[in-house]
Amino acid sequence: MEKLYKEHTKVFKALCDEERLHILEMLRNGEKCACKLLENMDIGQSSLSYHMKILVESGIVESRQDGKWTYYKISKQGSKYAISLMRELTAINNISEKEN
Amino acid sequence: MEKLYKEHTKVFKALCDEERLHILEMLRNGEKCACKLLENMDIGQSSLSYHMKILVESGIVESRQDGKWTYYKISKQGSKYAISLMRELTAINNISEKEN
DNA sequence: ATAACATATCTAAATATTTCGATATGAGGT
DNA sequence: ACCTCATATCGAAATATTTAGATATGTTAT
């Protein structure tokens, strides 16, 4: 399997869990610290941490440390990349199609 | 968990498996029947069938029966929806951000 | 009707993801 | 230094996804 495929799945894996979509929805309204996110969810602290790691590693979310708090927000650059990746992977290649 | 979340994860689940990204890449060059896809992959027939079901149910791929063959192609409408969903889920809501 | 073929579905096993509780780390406050 | 708080990491269990082989379905050709 081509090496890029695995890299690409990371971006989409970030979005294929219901809890992570919930987190993302909260972050659409601005930067939040982990404790604030946790308040609005029905999961344990370690689970939230696990999800945040996946979101950050996908590039769609970025984190910032401030003392003992970790703040998270949606990354504009990361989202842009995710959107363009989605566009690219589903784009029909008209040149090859003619040769088919 | 909100009902829409599960619906939304379906779209992204389609894209978070390496084999399915490989299939999608082949389909970018035009409609193909299952047997043709299978030729270029290193998986069994039932596994391909499983992946195609997930891709079709996500809306990103559409299928068409022709005699004993099943042809698959990327759905323009489905891809458009997937892209707009990705855009929506990562869009920063500036109105609420001010109120934060 | 039967045989050959393409694909779908079923079942069980293999593998990956997610969850929880316990513990570790690291920052601030006393 | 010690305590407390916020978050991260670890390990095991629970759950979900993926795979392969066997079988079922439906189509075409004889």
mmCIF file of all heavy atoms in Angstrom, chain C residues 8-27:
data_model
loop_
_atom_site.group_PDB
_atom_site.id
_atom_site.type_symbol
_atom_site.label_atom_id
_atom_site.label_comp_id
_atom_site.label_asym_id
_atom_site.label_seq_id
_atom_site.Cartn_x
_atom_site.Cartn_y
_atom_site.Cartn_z
ATOM 1 P P DA C 8 -21.352 -6.483 -5.295
ATOM 2 O OP1 DA C 8 -22.153 -5.271 -5.470
ATOM 3 O OP2 DA C 8 -19.963 -6.405 -4.815
ATOM 4 O "O5'" DA C 8 -22.162 -7.473 -4.329
ATOM 5 C "C5'" DA C 8 -23.473 -7.872 -4.708
ATOM 6 C "C4'" DA C 8 -24.100 -8.683 -3.586
ATOM 7 O "O4'" DA C 8 -23.501 -9.999 -3.555
ATOM 8 C "C3'" DA C 8 -23.940 -8.101 -2.198
ATOM 9 O "O3'" DA C 8 -25.200 -8.250 -1.555
ATOM 10 C "C2'" DA C 8 -22.848 -8.953 -1.550
ATOM 11 C "C1'" DA C 8 -23.026 -10.298 -2.258
ATOM 12 N N9 DA C 8 -21.805 -11.081 -2.464
ATOM 13 C C8 DA C 8 -20.650 -10.673 -3.074
ATOM 14 N N7 DA C 8 -19.729 -11.614 -3.148
ATOM 15 C C5 DA C 8 -20.325 -12.712 -2.549
ATOM 16 C C6 DA C 8 -19.869 -14.033 -2.304
ATOM 17 N N6 DA C 8 -18.652 -14.470 -2.675
ATOM 18 N N1 DA C 8 -20.701 -14.880 -1.684
ATOM 19 C C2 DA C 8 -21.918 -14.437 -1.325
ATOM 20 N N3 DA C 8 -22.469 -13.227 -1.499
ATOM 21 C C4 DA C 8 -21.604 -12.410 -2.117
ATOM 22 P P DT C 9 -25.442 -7.719 -0.080
ATOM 23 O OP1 DT C 9 -26.858 -7.340 -0.008
ATOM 24 O OP2 DT C 9 -24.366 -6.776 0.298
ATOM 25 O "O5'" DT C 9 -25.244 -9.041 0.785
ATOM 26 C "C5'" DT C 9 -26.158 -10.120 0.615
ATOM 27 C "C4'" DT C 9 -25.731 -11.247 1.528
ATOM 28 O "O4'" DT C 9 -24.457 -11.776 1.096
ATOM 29 C "C3'" DT C 9 -25.542 -10.838 2.990
ATOM 30 O "O3'" DT C 9 -26.341 -11.734 3.742
ATOM 31 C "C2'" DT C 9 -24.057 -11.025 3.244
ATOM 32 C "C1'" DT C 9 -23.697 -12.102 2.236
ATOM 33 N N1 DT C 9 -22.287 -12.176 1.777
ATOM 34 C C2 DT C 9 -21.648 -13.389 1.827
ATOM 35 O O2 DT C 9 -22.180 -14.399 2.257
ATOM 36 N N3 DT C 9 -20.357 -13.393 1.355
ATOM 37 C C4 DT C 9 -19.659 -12.325 0.853
ATOM 38 O O4 DT C 9 -18.509 -12.457 0.455
ATOM 39 C C5 DT C 9 -20.382 -11.075 0.823
ATOM 40 C C7 DT C 9 -19.715 -9.834 0.293
ATOM 41 C C6 DT C 9 -21.641 -11.057 1.280
ATOM 42 P P DC C 10 -26.520 -11.582 5.318
ATOM 43 O OP1 DC C 10 -27.942 -11.842 5.629
ATOM 44 O OP2 DC C 10 -25.883 -10.300 5.719
ATOM 45 O "O5'" DC C 10 -25.658 -12.775 5.908
ATOM 46 C "C5'" DC C 10 -25.905 -14.114 5.461
ATOM 47 C "C4'" DC C 10 -24.892 -15.049 6.097
ATOM 48 O "O4'" DC C 10 -23.637 -14.925 5.401
ATOM 49 C "C3'" DC C 10 -24.607 -14.743 7.563
ATOM 50 O "O3'" DC C 10 -24.806 -15.927 8.315
ATOM 51 C "C2'" DC C 10 -23.163 -14.270 7.591
ATOM 52 C "C1'" DC C 10 -22.575 -14.880 6.325
ATOM 53 N N1 DC C 10 -21.488 -14.087 5.696
ATOM 54 C C2 DC C 10 -20.296 -14.730 5.343
ATOM 55 O O2 DC C 10 -20.169 -15.931 5.591
ATOM 56 N N3 DC C 10 -19.319 -14.011 4.750
ATOM 57 C C4 DC C 10 -19.491 -12.715 4.498
ATOM 58 N N4 DC C 10 -18.505 -12.058 3.888
ATOM 59 C C5 DC C 10 -20.708 -12.032 4.849
ATOM 60 C C6 DC C 10 -21.681 -12.751 5.445
ATOM 61 P P DT C 11 -24.773 -15.861 9.916
ATOM 62 O OP1 DT C 11 -25.807 -16.826 10.345
ATOM 63 O OP2 DT C 11 -24.798 -14.451 10.367
ATOM 64 O "O5'" DT C 11 -23.353 -16.458 10.283
ATOM 65 C "C5'" DT C 11 -22.807 -17.547 9.519
ATOM 66 C "C4'" DT C 11 -21.402 -17.807 10.027
ATOM 67 O "O4'" DT C 11 -20.451 -17.094 9.194
ATOM 68 C "C3'" DT C 11 -21.163 -17.346 11.464
ATOM 69 O "O3'" DT C 11 -20.541 -18.391 12.175
ATOM 70 C "C2'" DT C 11 -20.295 -16.107 11.320
ATOM 71 C "C1'" DT C 11 -19.553 -16.369 10.006
ATOM 72 N N1 DT C 11 -19.158 -15.153 9.246
ATOM 73 C C2 DT C 11 -17.969 -15.174 8.547
ATOM 74 O O2 DT C 11 -17.225 -16.125 8.511
ATOM 75 N N3 DT C 11 -17.680 -14.018 7.865
ATOM 76 C C4 DT C 11 -18.447 -12.859 7.823
ATOM 77 O O4 DT C 11 -18.079 -11.897 7.185
ATOM 78 C C5 DT C 11 -19.685 -12.917 8.580
ATOM 79 C C7 DT C 11 -20.584 -11.714 8.604
ATOM 80 C C6 DT C 11 -19.979 -14.035 9.245
ATOM 81 P P DA C 12 -20.171 -18.260 13.737
ATOM 82 O OP1 DA C 12 -20.621 -19.503 14.387
ATOM 83 O OP2 DA C 12 -20.611 -16.946 14.247
ATOM 84 O "O5'" DA C 12 -18.577 -18.278 13.686
ATOM 85 C "C5'" DA C 12 -17.907 -19.112 12.737
ATOM 86 C "C4'" DA C 12 -16.437 -18.748 12.733
ATOM 87 O "O4'" DA C 12 -16.227 -17.581 11.904
ATOM 88 C "C3'" DA C 12 -15.884 -18.398 14.113
ATOM 89 O "O3'" DA C 12 -14.595 -18.984 14.221
ATOM 90 C "C2'" DA C 12 -15.837 -16.874 14.115
ATOM 91 C "C1'" DA C 12 -15.557 -16.574 12.642
ATOM 92 N N9 DA C 12 -16.058 -15.271 12.178
ATOM 93 C C8 DA C 12 -17.208 -14.630 12.551
ATOM 94 N N7 DA C 12 -17.394 -13.473 11.958
ATOM 95 C C5 DA C 12 -16.288 -13.352 11.126
ATOM 96 C C6 DA C 12 -15.885 -12.349 10.227
ATOM 97 N N6 DA C 12 -16.586 -11.234 9.994
ATOM 98 N N1 DA C 12 -14.727 -12.543 9.554
ATOM 99 C C2 DA C 12 -14.023 -13.651 9.779
ATOM 100 N N3 DA C 12 -14.297 -14.671 10.603
ATOM 101 C C4 DA C 12 -15.458 -14.453 11.255
ATOM 102 P P DA C 13 -13.678 -18.739 15.498
ATOM 103 O OP1 DA C 13 -13.130 -20.053 15.877
ATOM 104 O OP2 DA C 13 -14.411 -17.902 16.475
ATOM 105 O "O5'" DA C 13 -12.485 -17.873 14.897
ATOM 106 C "C5'" DA C 13 -11.779 -18.379 13.749
ATOM 107 C "C4'" DA C 13 -10.806 -17.322 13.291
ATOM 108 O "O4'" DA C 13 -11.545 -16.161 12.839
ATOM 109 C "C3'" DA C 13 -9.858 -16.822 14.388
ATOM 110 O "O3'" DA C 13 -8.542 -16.798 13.854
ATOM 111 C "C2'" DA C 13 -10.395 -15.435 14.742
ATOM 112 C "C1'" DA C 13 -11.041 -14.995 13.432
ATOM 113 N N9 DA C 13 -12.153 -14.057 13.580
ATOM 114 C C8 DA C 13 -13.232 -14.151 14.425
ATOM 115 N N7 DA C 13 -14.085 -13.156 14.322
ATOM 116 C C5 DA C 13 -13.530 -12.363 13.329
ATOM 117 C C6 DA C 13 -13.958 -11.143 12.747
ATOM 118 N N6 DA C 13 -15.084 -10.504 13.088
ATOM 119 N N1 DA C 13 -13.176 -10.615 11.785
ATOM 120 C C2 DA C 13 -12.058 -11.249 11.429
ATOM 121 N N3 DA C 13 -11.545 -12.397 11.908
ATOM 122 C C4 DA C 13 -12.354 -12.896 12.865
ATOM 123 P P DA C 14 -7.334 -16.091 14.626
ATOM 124 O OP1 DA C 14 -6.086 -16.801 14.263
ATOM 125 O OP2 DA C 14 -7.722 -15.903 16.044
ATOM 126 O "O5'" DA C 14 -7.283 -14.667 13.930
ATOM 127 C "C5'" DA C 14 -6.863 -14.571 12.566
ATOM 128 C "C4'" DA C 14 -6.634 -13.101 12.264
ATOM 129 O "O4'" DA C 14 -7.870 -12.389 12.452
ATOM 130 C "C3'" DA C 14 -5.602 -12.434 13.177
ATOM 131 O "O3'" DA C 14 -4.750 -11.665 12.349
ATOM 132 C "C2'" DA C 14 -6.458 -11.602 14.141
ATOM 133 C "C1'" DA C 14 -7.657 -11.264 13.276
ATOM 134 N N9 DA C 14 -8.908 -11.030 13.999
ATOM 135 C C8 DA C 14 -9.432 -11.767 15.029
ATOM 136 N N7 DA C 14 -10.599 -11.316 15.466
ATOM 137 C C5 DA C 14 -10.839 -10.213 14.672
ATOM 138 C C6 DA C 14 -11.905 -9.297 14.621
ATOM 139 N N6 DA C 14 -12.971 -9.347 15.426
ATOM 140 N N1 DA C 14 -11.843 -8.314 13.703
ATOM 141 C C2 DA C 14 -10.786 -8.249 12.887
ATOM 142 N N3 DA C 14 -9.721 -9.050 12.837
ATOM 143 C C4 DA C 14 -9.813 -10.027 13.759
ATOM 144 P P DT C 15 -3.582 -10.735 12.977
ATOM 145 O OP1 DT C 15 -2.522 -10.610 11.947
ATOM 146 O OP2 DT C 15 -3.300 -11.216 14.345
ATOM 147 O "O5'" DT C 15 -4.287 -9.312 13.097
ATOM 148 C "C5'" DT C 15 -4.806 -8.704 11.917
ATOM 149 C "C4'" DT C 15 -5.463 -7.409 12.328
ATOM 150 O "O4'" DT C 15 -6.643 -7.672 13.110
ATOM 151 C "C3'" DT C 15 -4.587 -6.502 13.181
ATOM 152 O "O3'" DT C 15 -4.451 -5.309 12.453
ATOM 153 C "C2'" DT C 15 -5.365 -6.353 14.489
ATOM 154 C "C1'" DT C 15 -6.782 -6.628 14.020
ATOM 155 N N1 DT C 15 -7.763 -7.071 15.041
ATOM 156 C C2 DT C 15 -8.959 -6.397 15.128
ATOM 157 O O2 DT C 15 -9.233 -5.432 14.425
ATOM 158 N N3 DT C 15 -9.822 -6.867 16.070
ATOM 159 C C4 DT C 15 -9.634 -7.937 16.919
ATOM 160 O O4 DT C 15 -10.497 -8.258 17.714
ATOM 161 C C5 DT C 15 -8.359 -8.606 16.783
ATOM 162 C C7 DT C 15 -8.046 -9.779 17.645
ATOM 163 C C6 DT C 15 -7.494 -8.153 15.855
ATOM 164 P P DA C 16 -3.598 -4.037 12.991
ATOM 165 O OP1 DA C 16 -2.887 -3.457 11.832
ATOM 166 O OP2 DA C 16 -2.890 -4.429 14.230
ATOM 167 O "O5'" DA C 16 -4.769 -3.035 13.405
ATOM 168 C "C5'" DA C 16 -5.811 -2.741 12.484
ATOM 169 C "C4'" DA C 16 -6.770 -1.795 13.150
ATOM 170 O "O4'" DA C 16 -7.586 -2.515 14.092
ATOM 171 C "C3'" DA C 16 -6.095 -0.668 13.919
ATOM 172 O "O3'" DA C 16 -6.738 0.529 13.518
ATOM 173 C "C2'" DA C 16 -6.309 -1.044 15.391
ATOM 174 C "C1'" DA C 16 -7.614 -1.829 15.321
ATOM 175 N N9 DA C 16 -7.798 -2.859 16.346
ATOM 176 C C8 DA C 16 -6.936 -3.854 16.695
ATOM 177 N N7 DA C 16 -7.391 -4.650 17.639
ATOM 178 C C5 DA C 16 -8.639 -4.129 17.930
ATOM 179 C C6 DA C 16 -9.635 -4.508 18.842
ATOM 180 N N6 DA C 16 -9.524 -5.555 19.670
ATOM 181 N N1 DA C 16 -10.757 -3.763 18.884
ATOM 182 C C2 DA C 16 -10.882 -2.728 18.052
ATOM 183 N N3 DA C 16 -10.016 -2.270 17.152
ATOM 184 C C4 DA C 16 -8.904 -3.027 17.141
ATOM 185 P P DT C 17 -6.442 1.967 14.162
ATOM 186 O OP1 DT C 17 -6.601 2.979 13.113
ATOM 187 O OP2 DT C 17 -5.217 1.893 14.981
ATOM 188 O "O5'" DT C 17 -7.684 2.109 15.163
ATOM 189 C "C5'" DT C 17 -9.000 1.962 14.648
ATOM 190 C "C4'" DT C 17 -9.995 2.178 15.754
ATOM 191 O "O4'" DT C 17 -9.938 1.097 16.700
ATOM 192 C "C3'" DT C 17 -9.799 3.468 16.551
ATOM 193 O "O3'" DT C 17 -11.091 4.047 16.605
ATOM 194 C "C2'" DT C 17 -9.297 2.980 17.908
ATOM 195 C "C1'" DT C 17 -9.969 1.614 18.012
ATOM 196 N N1 DT C 17 -9.326 0.564 18.843
ATOM 197 C C2 DT C 17 -10.097 -0.077 19.801
ATOM 198 O O2 DT C 17 -11.254 0.204 20.023
ATOM 199 N N3 DT C 17 -9.437 -1.056 20.485
ATOM 200 C C4 DT C 17 -8.141 -1.473 20.327
ATOM 201 O O4 DT C 17 -7.652 -2.371 21.005
ATOM 202 C C5 DT C 17 -7.395 -0.766 19.307
ATOM 203 C C7 DT C 17 -5.966 -1.133 19.048
ATOM 204 C C6 DT C 17 -8.019 0.202 18.626
ATOM 205 P P DT C 18 -11.369 5.519 17.245
ATOM 206 O OP1 DT C 18 -12.502 6.115 16.532
ATOM 207 O OP2 DT C 18 -10.087 6.250 17.371
ATOM 208 O "O5'" DT C 18 -11.857 5.124 18.714
ATOM 209 C "C5'" DT C 18 -13.085 4.438 18.868
ATOM 210 C "C4'" DT C 18 -13.294 4.107 20.328
ATOM 211 O "O4'" DT C 18 -12.318 3.133 20.728
ATOM 212 C "C3'" DT C 18 -13.125 5.293 21.293
ATOM 213 O "O3'" DT C 18 -14.401 5.496 21.908
ATOM 214 C "C2'" DT C 18 -12.040 4.842 22.269
ATOM 215 C "C1'" DT C 18 -12.052 3.327 22.101
ATOM 216 N N1 DT C 18 -10.781 2.584 22.355
ATOM 217 C C2 DT C 18 -10.803 1.516 23.231
ATOM 218 O O2 DT C 18 -11.795 1.162 23.837
ATOM 219 N N3 DT C 18 -9.601 0.870 23.375
ATOM 220 C C4 DT C 18 -8.406 1.172 22.747
ATOM 221 O O4 DT C 18 -7.395 0.505 22.960
ATOM 222 C C5 DT C 18 -8.451 2.294 21.857
ATOM 223 C C7 DT C 18 -7.211 2.715 21.131
ATOM 224 C C6 DT C 18 -9.618 2.940 21.698
ATOM 225 P P DT C 19 -14.594 6.594 23.070
ATOM 226 O OP1 DT C 19 -16.006 6.985 23.047
ATOM 227 O OP2 DT C 19 -13.513 7.597 23.000
ATOM 228 O "O5'" DT C 19 -14.361 5.695 24.373
ATOM 229 C "C5'" DT C 19 -15.329 4.709 24.724
ATOM 230 C "C4'" DT C 19 -14.908 4.050 26.030
ATOM 231 O "O4'" DT C 19 -13.652 3.379 25.795
ATOM 232 C "C3'" DT C 19 -14.650 5.042 27.162
ATOM 233 O "O3'" DT C 19 -15.650 4.872 28.161
ATOM 234 C "C2'" DT C 19 -13.259 4.714 27.689
ATOM 235 C "C1'" DT C 19 -12.909 3.409 26.987
ATOM 236 N N1 DT C 19 -11.487 3.303 26.592
ATOM 237 C C2 DT C 19 -10.758 2.223 27.020
ATOM 238 O O2 DT C 19 -11.218 1.359 27.739
ATOM 239 N N3 DT C 19 -9.458 2.202 26.598
ATOM 240 C C4 DT C 19 -8.826 3.122 25.787
ATOM 241 O O4 DT C 19 -7.642 2.983 25.465
ATOM 242 C C5 DT C 19 -9.644 4.234 25.363
ATOM 243 C C7 DT C 19 -9.056 5.303 24.497
ATOM 244 C C6 DT C 19 -10.917 4.273 25.777
ATOM 245 P P DC C 20 -15.735 5.893 29.407
ATOM 246 O OP1 DC C 20 -17.155 5.979 29.762
ATOM 247 O OP2 DC C 20 -14.944 7.122 29.143
ATOM 248 O "O5'" DC C 20 -14.962 5.085 30.551
ATOM 249 C "C5'" DC C 20 -15.186 3.680 30.726
ATOM 250 C "C4'" DC C 20 -14.174 3.159 31.734
ATOM 251 O "O4'" DC C 20 -12.916 2.921 31.053
ATOM 252 C "C3'" DC C 20 -13.876 4.134 32.876
ATOM 253 O "O3'" DC C 20 -14.012 3.450 34.107
ATOM 254 C "C2'" DC C 20 -12.440 4.578 32.640
ATOM 255 C "C1'" DC C 20 -11.853 3.419 31.843
ATOM 256 N N1 DC C 20 -10.757 3.792 30.906
ATOM 257 C C2 DC C 20 -9.650 2.934 30.770
ATOM 258 O O2 DC C 20 -9.612 1.901 31.420
ATOM 259 N N3 DC C 20 -8.662 3.285 29.907
ATOM 260 C C4 DC C 20 -8.747 4.416 29.208
ATOM 261 N N4 DC C 20 -7.746 4.700 28.371
ATOM 262 C C5 DC C 20 -9.861 5.307 29.333
ATOM 263 C C6 DC C 20 -10.838 4.957 30.181
ATOM 264 P P DG C 21 -14.086 4.301 35.484
ATOM 265 O OP1 DG C 21 -15.241 3.809 36.247
ATOM 266 O OP2 DG C 21 -13.925 5.739 35.180
ATOM 267 O "O5'" DG C 21 -12.750 3.812 36.226
ATOM 268 C "C5'" DG C 21 -12.427 2.422 36.244
ATOM 269 C "C4'" DG C 21 -10.979 2.262 36.676
ATOM 270 O "O4'" DG C 21 -10.100 2.593 35.569
ATOM 271 C "C3'" DG C 21 -10.563 3.169 37.834
ATOM 272 O "O3'" DG C 21 -9.736 2.398 38.701
ATOM 273 C "C2'" DG C 21 -9.801 4.296 37.149
ATOM 274 C "C1'" DG C 21 -9.143 3.540 35.998
ATOM 275 N N9 DG C 21 -8.775 4.353 34.832
ATOM 276 C C8 DG C 21 -9.466 5.418 34.290
ATOM 277 N N7 DG C 21 -8.874 5.936 33.237
ATOM 278 C C5 DG C 21 -7.724 5.166 33.077
ATOM 279 C C6 DG C 21 -6.683 5.254 32.110
ATOM 280 O O6 DG C 21 -6.568 6.029 31.167
ATOM 281 N N1 DG C 21 -5.710 4.272 32.326
ATOM 282 C C2 DG C 21 -5.733 3.349 33.326
ATOM 283 N N2 DG C 21 -4.712 2.497 33.373
ATOM 284 N N3 DG C 21 -6.700 3.254 34.240
ATOM 285 C C4 DG C 21 -7.663 4.193 34.057
ATOM 286 P P DA C 22 -9.051 3.003 40.013
ATOM 287 O OP1 DA C 22 -9.205 1.969 41.057
ATOM 288 O OP2 DA C 22 -9.523 4.392 40.241
ATOM 289 O "O5'" DA C 22 -7.512 3.049 39.569
ATOM 290 C "C5'" DA C 22 -6.911 1.871 39.026
ATOM 291 C "C4'" DA C 22 -5.453 2.164 38.743
ATOM 292 O "O4'" DA C 22 -5.347 2.920 37.514
ATOM 293 C "C3'" DA C 22 -4.748 2.991 39.825
ATOM 294 O "O3'" DA C 22 -3.444 2.470 40.040
ATOM 295 C "C2'" DA C 22 -4.727 4.396 39.241
ATOM 296 C "C1'" DA C 22 -4.598 4.098 37.734
ATOM 297 N N9 DA C 22 -5.140 5.157 36.880
ATOM 298 C C8 DA C 22 -6.313 5.849 37.043
ATOM 299 N N7 DA C 22 -6.538 6.754 36.110
ATOM 300 C C5 DA C 22 -5.434 6.638 35.272
ATOM 301 C C6 DA C 22 -5.062 7.313 34.099
ATOM 302 N N6 DA C 22 -5.801 8.280 33.529
ATOM 303 N N1 DA C 22 -3.899 6.963 33.505
ATOM 304 C C2 DA C 22 -3.160 5.996 34.069
ATOM 305 N N3 DA C 22 -3.393 5.281 35.184
ATOM 306 C C4 DA C 22 -4.568 5.665 35.733
ATOM 307 P P DT C 23 -2.483 3.121 41.151
ATOM 308 O OP1 DT C 23 -1.730 2.012 41.759
ATOM 309 O OP2 DT C 23 -3.246 4.101 41.959
ATOM 310 O "O5'" DT C 23 -1.452 3.934 40.237
ATOM 311 C "C5'" DT C 23 -0.838 3.274 39.129
ATOM 312 C "C4'" DT C 23 -0.130 4.305 38.287
ATOM 313 O "O4'" DT C 23 -1.086 5.161 37.632
ATOM 314 C "C3'" DT C 23 0.786 5.242 39.087
ATOM 315 O "O3'" DT C 23 2.059 5.210 38.474
ATOM 316 C "C2'" DT C 23 0.114 6.597 38.976
ATOM 317 C "C1'" DT C 23 -0.561 6.459 37.616
ATOM 318 N N1 DT C 23 -1.662 7.414 37.321
ATOM 319 C C2 DT C 23 -1.585 8.168 36.174
ATOM 320 O O2 DT C 23 -0.654 8.088 35.389
ATOM 321 N N3 DT C 23 -2.642 9.033 35.970
ATOM 322 C C4 DT C 23 -3.736 9.201 36.791
ATOM 323 O O4 DT C 23 -4.606 10.003 36.479
ATOM 324 C C5 DT C 23 -3.763 8.384 37.984
ATOM 325 C C7 DT C 23 -4.901 8.511 38.929
ATOM 326 C C6 DT C 23 -2.736 7.537 38.189
ATOM 327 P P DA C 24 3.277 6.074 39.011
ATOM 328 O OP1 DA C 24 4.459 5.198 39.009
ATOM 329 O OP2 DA C 24 2.869 6.796 40.233
ATOM 330 O "O5'" DA C 24 3.473 7.131 37.841
ATOM 331 C "C5'" DA C 24 3.733 6.644 36.510
ATOM 332 C "C4'" DA C 24 3.914 7.850 35.610
ATOM 333 O "O4'" DA C 24 2.664 8.561 35.515
ATOM 334 C "C3'" DA C 24 4.946 8.864 36.121
ATOM 335 O "O3'" DA C 24 5.706 9.299 35.002
ATOM 336 C "C2'" DA C 24 4.090 9.979 36.718
ATOM 337 C "C1'" DA C 24 2.864 9.931 35.823
ATOM 338 N N9 DA C 24 1.612 10.395 36.429
ATOM 339 C C8 DA C 24 1.049 9.970 37.597
ATOM 340 N N7 DA C 24 -0.105 10.548 37.869
ATOM 341 C C5 DA C 24 -0.311 11.405 36.800
ATOM 342 C C6 DA C 24 -1.345 12.306 36.482
ATOM 343 N N6 DA C 24 -2.424 12.482 37.241
ATOM 344 N N1 DA C 24 -1.240 13.007 35.336
ATOM 345 C C2 DA C 24 -0.158 12.822 34.566
ATOM 346 N N3 DA C 24 0.874 12.008 34.754
ATOM 347 C C4 DA C 24 0.739 11.320 35.898
ATOM 348 P P DT C 25 6.984 10.250 35.235
ATOM 349 O OP1 DT C 25 8.014 9.782 34.281
ATOM 350 O OP2 DT C 25 7.243 10.348 36.684
ATOM 351 O "O5'" DT C 25 6.470 11.672 34.723
ATOM 352 C "C5'" DT C 25 5.941 11.791 33.400
ATOM 353 C "C4'" DT C 25 5.424 13.206 33.225
ATOM 354 O "O4'" DT C 25 4.180 13.359 33.946
ATOM 355 C "C3'" DT C 25 6.377 14.286 33.779
ATOM 356 O "O3'" DT C 25 6.545 15.260 32.767
ATOM 357 C "C2'" DT C 25 5.646 14.830 34.994
ATOM 358 C "C1'" DT C 25 4.189 14.612 34.581
ATOM 359 N N1 DT C 25 3.173 14.556 35.667
ATOM 360 C C2 DT C 25 2.000 15.258 35.492
ATOM 361 O O2 DT C 25 1.761 15.928 34.507
ATOM 362 N N3 DT C 25 1.112 15.146 36.525
ATOM 363 C C4 DT C 25 1.255 14.434 37.692
ATOM 364 O O4 DT C 25 0.390 14.418 38.543
ATOM 365 C C5 DT C 25 2.513 13.724 37.811
ATOM 366 C C7 DT C 25 2.794 12.922 39.049
ATOM 367 C C6 DT C 25 3.408 13.811 36.806
ATOM 368 P P DG C 26 7.700 16.389 32.849
ATOM 369 O OP1 DG C 26 8.778 16.027 31.928
ATOM 370 O OP2 DG C 26 7.996 16.639 34.296
ATOM 371 O "O5'" DG C 26 6.968 17.698 32.265
ATOM 372 C "C5'" DG C 26 5.563 17.765 32.150
ATOM 373 C "C4'" DG C 26 5.007 19.017 32.799
ATOM 374 O "O4'" DG C 26 4.120 18.615 33.882
ATOM 375 C "C3'" DG C 26 6.037 19.948 33.448
ATOM 376 O "O3'" DG C 26 5.557 21.267 33.259
ATOM 377 C "C2'" DG C 26 5.983 19.544 34.904
ATOM 378 C "C1'" DG C 26 4.484 19.329 35.037
ATOM 379 N N9 DG C 26 4.023 18.574 36.192
ATOM 380 C C8 DG C 26 4.706 17.625 36.925
ATOM 381 N N7 DG C 26 4.003 17.153 37.931
ATOM 382 C C5 DG C 26 2.788 17.832 37.840
ATOM 383 C C6 DG C 26 1.635 17.736 38.656
ATOM 384 O O6 DG C 26 1.430 17.021 39.635
ATOM 385 N N1 DG C 26 0.630 18.604 38.217
ATOM 386 C C2 DG C 26 0.737 19.448 37.135
ATOM 387 N N2 DG C 26 -0.326 20.205 36.869
ATOM 388 N N3 DG C 26 1.805 19.533 36.370
ATOM 389 C C4 DG C 26 2.792 18.708 36.777
ATOM 390 P P DA C 27 6.423 22.596 33.475
ATOM 391 O OP1 DA C 27 6.916 23.048 32.169
ATOM 392 O OP2 DA C 27 7.352 22.343 34.606
ATOM 393 O "O5'" DA C 27 5.334 23.648 33.985
ATOM 394 C "C5'" DA C 27 4.105 23.763 33.283
ATOM 395 C "C4'" DA C 27 3.088 24.372 34.220
ATOM 396 O "O4'" DA C 27 2.722 23.396 35.215
ATOM 397 C "C3'" DA C 27 3.648 25.592 34.975
ATOM 398 O "O3'" DA C 27 2.694 26.643 34.897
ATOM 399 C "C2'" DA C 27 3.838 25.088 36.408
ATOM 400 C "C1'" DA C 27 2.806 23.967 36.503
ATOM 401 N N9 DA C 27 3.208 22.898 37.407
ATOM 402 C C8 DA C 27 4.374 22.203 37.428
ATOM 403 N N7 DA C 27 4.447 21.286 38.364
ATOM 404 C C5 DA C 27 3.232 21.387 39.011
ATOM 405 C C6 DA C 27 2.677 20.702 40.107
ATOM 406 N N6 DA C 27 3.306 19.721 40.767
ATOM 407 N N1 DA C 27 1.441 21.050 40.516
ATOM 408 C C2 DA C 27 0.797 22.028 39.859
ATOM 409 N N3 DA C 27 1.214 22.758 38.813
ATOM 410 C C4 DA C 27 2.455 22.379 38.442
#
